[in-house]
Amino acid sequence: MRHFLLSLAFLLGLTVASAGEPARSAAYMRWDLDWRVAGGLPEKVMLVSLQGLANRESPQLYIIHPADFQWEITQPLFEFYQRKHGVQFTELKTASEALARFAHFAKGYVIWEPAVSASLNVAFTIAGLEDAIVVTAEQVPLVQAQGLKQIDDLRGRYTGQTDAQIYGDAINRYWSRCTHDAIMLMGGHRGTVRQPAVADWGIRRRMFFHDLSANPKHPDELALAQRLYSELNPLAFVFGWHAYGKDTEEQHTTLLSTYGLKMEGLHNLPNLSFNCHFSFTPGFKFKNNHRVARDAKLTAEPKVYLAFVQSDSIGIGVWTKPGRGKLPFAWQVTMNWTKFTPAALEYFHESATPNDYFIGGLSGPGYMYPNHIPADRFPLLMAEAREMMAQLDEHVMEIMDNSAADGNVGNADLTKEAVDRYYAAFPDVIGFINGYGPARTRDLRDSRPLISYDYYISPKRPREEVAADLNELIAVNRNRPYFLLIHVRESNDVNSLVEITRQLDGPTEIVPVDVFLKLAASRKTYTTRYQDPAEPKHFSGYQR
């Protein structure tokens, strides 16, 4: 029976470590920030493909990235694994050392062609299906020295072809053999620099890799993306990120949302093939820093209430930077990490200060735009989200739909139909927050408010200008109480936010977001409104 359960967990890509498991040994490597195609990328590609194979059945190889890599938590998690899971790590300092230790997990190698960008994603797909290490022609002697034989050589196969032609051929050759529970959108950085750090996960799970565009200006690519997404299983994942310069985040998220799929970014999210093997430590239970009970009733005073929220995934923010804990802060948690990187969630909860509060999102059990989720898929998706929020002890859901917006500008409002569905799907939350940049959707039902962001703090905007903007909002919104919800871009320095709050015109009070929502429920000084179909929309993407 245990063998069957472990096999099932492996097929689903879920955690398989059990309580009381003896100490493990594993290897680790430290990488630099050189992801240039003409520099450090080929070696990293070879190693990340090796990592996906080595970690397929057990956690063997972990990568530590520099502190200024976008995902800043690889070093803290490395220490967490040693401290809480008893992992005994041995450092591997060269690619040759890594190959000598782990090449036996591979059956051969596949050669990609750096001059043909899409050939790398085809090679990654082959690597997962054929247990192959991905190399350039110059790296062949390294893998041959370990006794590995060539499985495929993509040089010349796709020369002069468009991405649509390349992926059309790859779909015909490989798609039927790949998992249909997930797909790897290996986009992000393009051109002279690429960062496919999440490729290990796609290789481990035997996913199909692509960076097809959702931009209507690329109809051939869009048609292929539509085919792939339509053939995925219900509630499937899209891992990775859209291709910079081809399409936009808004275009691609709109596209996958129309199929009820769940986006989990980014293209450079590292170590999932390692992380997925660990469960929560014995006896661990999430306990959020709730300041109010679900049935509590508060009364707002005639003042300005402010609440700060950081989304964009907690793992790429300022969690490890100085200043955290000085202000009440809500952190949007990537809830699906309960399934494939639980140690990170345990680390965040373990290291939280009393001022850190966790909320669910983004829009459901993954990043998606609710205005475009099919009605028949919405209940199933949100049931999954409810289950994870209960496990994570979260009482607030964050929603975002930028299908009619562009980054932090444009129309980020929710339709009334979408709002109706959220209130029906989440009867136990104390409230909802909405937007990325400012939005205008607001509601109050059964003492549960939905409040949109009134302001977005860009890390590039001078602090004195942020303070002036907030004071202008305070002056313009004269009706008290005024509920000022602020979205903090993930790379903002918390210490600078403390300075901003000292420059605000009073009376003001900074409160945790759960208190904020309870206060907003007590005095409805805001207008109920939803997205107006007649209003202009900033949108140039796919619509079903």
PDB file of all heavy atoms in Angstrom, residues 260-275:
ATOM      1  N   GLY A 260      -9.707  28.016 -17.672  1.00  0.00           N
ATOM      2  CA  GLY A 260      -9.762  27.604 -16.271  1.00  0.00           C
ATOM      3  C   GLY A 260      -8.464  27.023 -15.769  1.00  0.00           C
ATOM      4  O   GLY A 260      -8.462  26.164 -14.881  1.00  0.00           O
ATOM      5  N   LEU A 261      -7.318  27.487 -16.299  1.00  0.00           N
ATOM      6  CA  LEU A 261      -6.008  26.966 -15.913  1.00  0.00           C
ATOM      7  C   LEU A 261      -5.360  27.861 -14.871  1.00  0.00           C
ATOM      8  O   LEU A 261      -5.673  29.045 -14.762  1.00  0.00           O
ATOM      9  CB  LEU A 261      -5.105  26.848 -17.149  1.00  0.00           C
ATOM     10  CG  LEU A 261      -5.666  26.012 -18.291  1.00  0.00           C
ATOM     11  CD1 LEU A 261      -4.752  26.083 -19.502  1.00  0.00           C
ATOM     12  CD2 LEU A 261      -5.870  24.564 -17.855  1.00  0.00           C
ATOM     13  N   LYS A 262      -4.429  27.291 -14.129  1.00  0.00           N
ATOM     14  CA  LYS A 262      -3.797  27.981 -13.004  1.00  0.00           C
ATOM     15  C   LYS A 262      -2.346  28.305 -13.334  1.00  0.00           C
ATOM     16  O   LYS A 262      -1.550  27.403 -13.580  1.00  0.00           O
ATOM     17  CB  LYS A 262      -3.848  27.106 -11.744  1.00  0.00           C
ATOM     18  CG  LYS A 262      -5.261  26.715 -11.331  1.00  0.00           C
ATOM     19  CD  LYS A 262      -5.269  25.680 -10.227  1.00  0.00           C
ATOM     20  CE  LYS A 262      -4.810  24.328 -10.717  1.00  0.00           C
ATOM     21  NZ  LYS A 262      -5.021  23.257  -9.714  1.00  0.00           N
ATOM     22  N   MET A 263      -2.003  29.585 -13.327  1.00  0.00           N
ATOM     23  CA  MET A 263      -0.633  29.999 -13.575  1.00  0.00           C
ATOM     24  C   MET A 263       0.167  29.979 -12.286  1.00  0.00           C
ATOM     25  O   MET A 263      -0.281  30.457 -11.245  1.00  0.00           O
ATOM     26  CB  MET A 263      -0.613  31.411 -14.175  1.00  0.00           C
ATOM     27  CG  MET A 263       0.749  32.090 -14.178  1.00  0.00           C
ATOM     28  SD  MET A 263       1.988  31.226 -15.171  1.00  0.00           S
ATOM     29  CE  MET A 263       1.513  31.714 -16.826  1.00  0.00           C
ATOM     30  N   GLU A 264       1.368  29.413 -12.347  1.00  0.00           N
ATOM     31  CA  GLU A 264       2.312  29.457 -11.228  1.00  0.00           C
ATOM     32  C   GLU A 264       3.662  29.919 -11.780  1.00  0.00           C
ATOM     33  O   GLU A 264       4.325  29.194 -12.511  1.00  0.00           O
ATOM     34  CB  GLU A 264       2.453  28.079 -10.556  1.00  0.00           C
ATOM     35  CG  GLU A 264       1.278  27.704  -9.685  1.00  0.00           C
ATOM     36  CD  GLU A 264       1.102  28.604  -8.486  1.00  0.00           C
ATOM     37  OE1 GLU A 264       2.083  29.257  -8.072  1.00  0.00           O
ATOM     38  OE2 GLU A 264      -0.027  28.677  -7.960  1.00  0.00           O
ATOM     39  N   GLY A 265       4.031  31.159 -11.446  1.00  0.00           N
ATOM     40  CA  GLY A 265       5.285  31.704 -11.965  1.00  0.00           C
ATOM     41  C   GLY A 265       6.397  31.632 -10.941  1.00  0.00           C
ATOM     42  O   GLY A 265       6.169  31.318  -9.776  1.00  0.00           O
ATOM     43  N   LEU A 266       7.584  31.850 -11.354  1.00  0.00           N
ATOM     44  CA  LEU A 266       7.982  32.440 -12.619  1.00  0.00           C
ATOM     45  C   LEU A 266       8.841  31.441 -13.401  1.00  0.00           C
ATOM     46  O   LEU A 266       9.039  30.311 -12.951  1.00  0.00           O
ATOM     47  CB  LEU A 266       8.791  33.726 -12.373  1.00  0.00           C
ATOM     48  CG  LEU A 266       8.046  34.921 -11.755  1.00  0.00           C
ATOM     49  CD1 LEU A 266       9.038  35.953 -11.289  1.00  0.00           C
ATOM     50  CD2 LEU A 266       7.074  35.513 -12.729  1.00  0.00           C
ATOM     51  N   HIS A 267       9.395  31.915 -14.512  1.00  0.00           N
ATOM     52  CA  HIS A 267      10.285  31.078 -15.313  1.00  0.00           C
ATOM     53  C   HIS A 267      11.590  30.773 -14.593  1.00  0.00           C
ATOM     54  O   HIS A 267      12.287  29.820 -14.938  1.00  0.00           O
ATOM     55  CB  HIS A 267      10.597  31.776 -16.629  1.00  0.00           C
ATOM     56  CG  HIS A 267      11.258  33.116 -16.451  1.00  0.00           C
ATOM     57  ND1 HIS A 267      10.598  34.190 -15.900  1.00  0.00           N
ATOM     58  CD2 HIS A 267      12.510  33.547 -16.733  1.00  0.00           C
ATOM     59  CE1 HIS A 267      11.413  35.232 -15.855  1.00  0.00           C
ATOM     60  NE2 HIS A 267      12.580  34.864 -16.345  1.00  0.00           N
ATOM     61  N   ASN A 268      11.935  31.589 -13.590  1.00  0.00           N
ATOM     62  CA  ASN A 268      13.196  31.404 -12.868  1.00  0.00           C
ATOM     63  C   ASN A 268      12.997  30.921 -11.435  1.00  0.00           C
ATOM     64  O   ASN A 268      13.898  31.048 -10.601  1.00  0.00           O
ATOM     65  CB  ASN A 268      14.009  32.704 -12.877  1.00  0.00           C
ATOM     66  CG  ASN A 268      13.223  33.891 -12.336  1.00  0.00           C
ATOM     67  OD1 ASN A 268      12.129  33.724 -11.798  1.00  0.00           O
ATOM     68  ND2 ASN A 268      13.775  35.088 -12.477  1.00  0.00           N
ATOM     69  N   LEU A 269      11.829  30.354 -11.138  1.00  0.00           N
ATOM     70  CA  LEU A 269      11.561  29.799  -9.807  1.00  0.00           C
ATOM     71  C   LEU A 269      12.396  28.525  -9.627  1.00  0.00           C
ATOM     72  O   LEU A 269      12.178  27.530 -10.314  1.00  0.00           O
ATOM     73  CB  LEU A 269      10.072  29.489  -9.672  1.00  0.00           C
ATOM     74  CG  LEU A 269       9.616  28.782  -8.401  1.00  0.00           C
ATOM     75  CD1 LEU A 269       9.939  29.614  -7.169  1.00  0.00           C
ATOM     76  CD2 LEU A 269       8.128  28.474  -8.479  1.00  0.00           C
ATOM     77  N   PRO A 270      13.339  28.521  -8.693  1.00  0.00           N
ATOM     78  CA  PRO A 270      14.288  27.401  -8.634  1.00  0.00           C
ATOM     79  C   PRO A 270      13.884  26.294  -7.660  1.00  0.00           C
ATOM     80  O   PRO A 270      13.081  26.495  -6.744  1.00  0.00           O
ATOM     81  CB  PRO A 270      15.565  28.082  -8.143  1.00  0.00           C
ATOM     82  CG  PRO A 270      15.069  29.176  -7.241  1.00  0.00           C
ATOM     83  CD  PRO A 270      13.750  29.634  -7.829  1.00  0.00           C
ATOM     84  N   ASN A 271      14.445  25.119  -7.883  1.00  0.00           N
ATOM     85  CA  ASN A 271      14.495  24.017  -6.914  1.00  0.00           C
ATOM     86  C   ASN A 271      13.167  23.313  -6.650  1.00  0.00           C
ATOM     87  O   ASN A 271      13.070  22.551  -5.673  1.00  0.00           O
ATOM     88  CB  ASN A 271      15.057  24.502  -5.571  1.00  0.00           C
ATOM     89  CG  ASN A 271      16.519  24.894  -5.659  1.00  0.00           C
ATOM     90  OD1 ASN A 271      17.327  24.183  -6.245  1.00  0.00           O
ATOM     91  ND2 ASN A 271      16.856  26.035  -5.071  1.00  0.00           N
ATOM     92  N   LEU A 272      12.166  23.484  -7.487  1.00  0.00           N
ATOM     93  CA  LEU A 272      10.901  22.797  -7.210  1.00  0.00           C
ATOM     94  C   LEU A 272      11.072  21.285  -7.222  1.00  0.00           C
ATOM     95  O   LEU A 272      10.401  20.573  -6.458  1.00  0.00           O
ATOM     96  CB  LEU A 272       9.835  23.211  -8.220  1.00  0.00           C
ATOM     97  CG  LEU A 272       9.274  24.626  -8.100  1.00  0.00           C
ATOM     98  CD1 LEU A 272       8.081  24.793  -9.014  1.00  0.00           C
ATOM     99  CD2 LEU A 272       8.885  24.947  -6.661  1.00  0.00           C
ATOM    100  N   SER A 273      11.946  20.765  -8.066  1.00  0.00           N
ATOM    101  CA  SER A 273      12.142  19.313  -8.111  1.00  0.00           C
ATOM    102  C   SER A 273      12.750  18.797  -6.813  1.00  0.00           C
ATOM    103  O   SER A 273      12.591  17.612  -6.473  1.00  0.00           O
ATOM    104  CB  SER A 273      13.035  18.923  -9.293  1.00  0.00           C
ATOM    105  OG  SER A 273      14.363  19.422  -9.129  1.00  0.00           O
ATOM    106  N   PHE A 274      13.438  19.636  -6.076  1.00  0.00           N
ATOM    107  CA  PHE A 274      13.979  19.287  -4.763  1.00  0.00           C
ATOM    108  C   PHE A 274      12.922  19.514  -3.686  1.00  0.00           C
ATOM    109  O   PHE A 274      12.653  18.639  -2.847  1.00  0.00           O
ATOM    110  CB  PHE A 274      15.219  20.131  -4.478  1.00  0.00           C
ATOM    111  CG  PHE A 274      15.947  19.780  -3.200  1.00  0.00           C
ATOM    112  CD1 PHE A 274      17.018  18.896  -3.222  1.00  0.00           C
ATOM    113  CD2 PHE A 274      15.580  20.338  -1.989  1.00  0.00           C
ATOM    114  CE1 PHE A 274      17.695  18.570  -2.054  1.00  0.00           C
ATOM    115  CE2 PHE A 274      16.242  20.024  -0.812  1.00  0.00           C
ATOM    116  CZ  PHE A 274      17.303  19.128  -0.843  1.00  0.00           C
ATOM    117  N   ASN A 275      12.304  20.690  -3.714  1.00  0.00           N
ATOM    118  CA  ASN A 275      11.378  21.083  -2.650  1.00  0.00           C
ATOM    119  C   ASN A 275      10.178  20.157  -2.527  1.00  0.00           C
ATOM    120  O   ASN A 275       9.642  19.956  -1.427  1.00  0.00           O
ATOM    121  CB  ASN A 275      10.880  22.510  -2.901  1.00  0.00           C
ATOM    122  CG  ASN A 275      11.987  23.539  -2.861  1.00  0.00           C
ATOM    123  OD1 ASN A 275      13.047  23.308  -2.293  1.00  0.00           O
ATOM    124  ND2 ASN A 275      11.753  24.690  -3.470  1.00  0.00           N
TER     125      ASN A 275
END
